[in-house]
Amino acid sequence: MYTLKELIDQLLNIKKLPTLPPVIFILEKSLNVKEPDVHRVSRIISDDPPLTSALLKLANSVMYTARRKTTTVQEAIVRLGFKEIRKLVFDVGMVRYVSALPKGLIDPQKFWEHSIGVAFCMEEIQLRTGLRDHDGSSAHVVGLLHDLGRLISATYLPDVHQNLPDNEQSEDPRKSILDLEAQRIGIDHTQIAAAVLERWGLPLEIVNCVRFHHQPDVAPKIQRKDIYLLHLADSICRIGRVGDSGEGRLKEIKQAVWDTLGLESARTEEILVQVREKIKNSGVLSSIIGIKS
Ligand SMILES: [Fe+2]
Ligand SMILES: [Fe+2]
């Protein structure tokens, strides 16, 4: 059994946990200003061949059809806009991170599908509720990162990590995940991820979403609605078995969660259809980096 500090020290120092690709942090600084500089962002992306390739493919994909093909990074940035660039940078970074890790107990392709699925699901819920995050890209980013703690524990603590059973019988699904992890490891995956993301210097808003994604009711008030959004997206993907982060299937979502966001549970299937469609279309991205989808 570890304390949180011992565990994080062990992961970061002894096990040499890799960070997300440095290009994410460099671009975060350049994009997180009032008016990002297209030339600067373009130079950073051009130094990263897989990112450049993903950017050009996305800019020329059906979603952004134009008469003329985009052949330069700068043109692609202008066509897509900075919000889409930020999402893409995290997409590519996360795929690269997942595919580079040593084999653990979690299937990298299923893990990727779950992460991108939750990101897409958040966007689908936003469309139907009118809820918007302040910068138009944060929901996507927290969706991608929300189960990072599961990935880390599966890869670096295989002796204590174990896939969790489907919790269809459980009266309180939230309890079964976090409690089982706490019993086995001493802390749960939300605490692991929050501590690691904090050390990597990601903004507190992202860290909080990840930390409270199974317990939105105890999240800081100012962010509670955003975190309910993440919680609902994750729950819908677990009900529909969109990918898998090893947490097992969920049987139902509490009515209070739907009510908080002002959405009807009857829309679950319609949302899942859209999410699966978007995952299919994101196959281009994952195949560029090495995970087949
Ligand atoms: Fe989770
Ligand atoms: Fe999840």
Side-chain angles (χ1 to χ4, degrees):
M1 206 66 100
Y2 306 92
T3 65
L4 181 57
K5 192 184 172 309
E6 281 167 355
L7 182 102
I8 300 303
D9 284 345
Q10 186 187 353
L11 286 172
L12 294 178
N13 301 329
I14 303 168
K15 305 257 183 173
K16 292 195 172 37
L17 181 74
T19 67
L20 289 169
V23 69
I24 286 185
F25 304 106
I26 298 168
L27 274 166
E28 273 289 272
K29 272 193 191 148
S30 297
L31 292 172
N32 201 14
V33 292
K34 224 174 176 187
E35 284 180 29
D37 178 348
V38 178
H39 299 282
R40 189 174 154 69
V41 172
S42 154
R43 266 201 311 275
I44 297 167
I45 293 179
S46 301
D47 281 346
D48 190 308
L51 186 54
T52 301
S53 155
L55 173 71
L56 292 174
K57 282 207 175 181
L58 183 64
N60 288 305
S61 71
V62 279
M63 284 188 286
Y64 297 93
T65 18
R67 266 183 239 137
R68 205 164 51 83
K69 269 207 149 205
T70 301
T71 52
T72 69
V73 169
Q74 205 165 313
E75 248 180 45
I77 294 170
V78 173
R79 184 176 286 187
L80 266 58
F82 289 119
K83 286 172 199 164
E84 290 304 313
I85 297 295
R86 185 172 184 237
K87 290 183 199 172
L88 182 73
V89 168
F90 271 92
D91 283 350
V92 172
M94 192 65 181
V95 172
R96 204 185 289 169
Y97 188 73
V98 170
S99 55
L101 288 172
K103 294 267 174 288
L105 294 178
I106 283 181
D107 177 329
Q109 185 185 332
K110 284 188 175 166
F111 186 87
W112 161 251
E113 277 175 20
H114 179 67
S115 306
I116 192 81
V118 172
F120 289 147
C121 196
M122 290 184 80
E123 292 168 354
E124 290 300 317
I125 297 169
Q126 283 183 324
L127 269 178
R128 287 159 179 79
T129 57
L131 283 171
R132 286 274 174 274
D133 44 290
H134 65 285
D135 59 8
S137 57
S138 287
H140 186 91
V141 171
V142 298
L144 276 180
L145 296 177
H146 79 283
D147 269 337
L148 189 76
R150 296 282 307 157
L151 186 65
I152 292 172
S153 66
T155 311
Y156 293 97
L157 301 164
D159 47 335
V160 285
H161 176 94
Q162 199 177 315
N163 278 0
L164 299 168
D166 287 355
N167 53 8
E168 293 186 350
Q169 310 305 323
S170 170
E171 282 190 1
D172 185 349
R174 174 185 93 190
K175 252 190 173 176
S176 66
I177 299 160
L178 302 187
D179 286 357
L180 271 173
E181 286 179 331
Q183 269 169 28
R184 288 173 185 161
I185 312 175
I187 58 172
D188 64 64
H189 71 286
T190 63
Q191 293 171 298
I192 294 175
V196 169
L197 292 172
E198 226 166 12
R199 293 258 184 125
W200 289 348
L202 286 176
L204 185 64
E205 299 85 67
I206 291 181
V207 174
N208 275 343
C209 284
V210 172
R211 191 196 311 269
F212 294 107
H213 76 268
H214 285 280
Q215 299 170 296
D217 48 327
V218 297
K221 246 188 181 159
I222 193 163
Q223 272 192 272
R224 204 167 286 170
K225 214 145 195 188
D226 292 341
I227 298 172
Y228 264 102
L229 175 68
L230 172 58
H231 176 76
L232 179 60
D234 184 34
S235 303
I236 290 175
C237 288
R238 287 179 60 206
I239 279 190
R241 289 197 188 274
V242 175
D244 189 11
S245 68
E247 286 186 8
R249 191 179 188 194
L250 195 64
K251 189 183 178 189
E252 61 182 3
I253 300 167
K254 286 179 184 164
Q255 189 55 42
V257 175
W258 296 100
D259 293 345
T260 303
L261 295 170
L263 195 64
E264 285 176 13
S265 57
R267 305 194 77 171
T268 305
E269 208 37 59
E270 158 208 327
I271 291 174
L272 280 168
V273 168
Q274 291 302 317
V275 169
R276 291 197 183 102
E277 187 61 27
K278 282 189 172 178
I279 291 177
K280 231 202 286 167
N281 293 334
S282 78
V284 154
L285 174 67
S286 36
S287 61
I288 293 166
I289 319 291
I291 296 178
K292 286 185 187 126
S293 68

